[in-house]
Amino acid sequence: MKMITAIVNKKDAGEVCDALKEEKFTFTKMATTGGFLKAGNVTLLIGTDDEKVDEAIEIIRKHCAKRMEPMPAVVNAGVPAFGYYKAEIPVGGATVFVSPVERFEKM
């Protein structure tokens, strides 16, 4: 058995969760916040049999869109006239970890 930990952008989470449920995967969904952008994410904990790991990851991959979004950034060149501007950065997709499960009990 494996534990898939998938960190998904909150904009993609609904579609990912619906697709996983449709294929009969069970999971726990937690609201989380990223450290770099401090943006909202959803972390999914998916326990599954070894042979279903690739299927679950493919579902996640299919339903997580990468896109460019504006990020406020400060330009500080010592001159106040530079002020603020928005930089475009890539967001979305998912970060996925797969770990072995030594023991599993449902109580």
Side-chain angles (χ1 to χ4, degrees), residues 19-40:
L20 287 168
K21 282 189 250 181
E22 189 173 303
E23 296 300 322
K24 308 292 189 247
F25 284 96
T26 57
F27 55 86
T28 298
K29 176 180 160 183
M30 300 181 290
T32 53
T33 303
F36 177 64
L37 296 176
K38 297 179 177 46

Side-chain angles (χ1 to χ4, degrees), residues 18 38 54 67 96:
D18 290 346
K38 297 179 177 46
D54 290 336
R67 58 196 159 273
V96 177

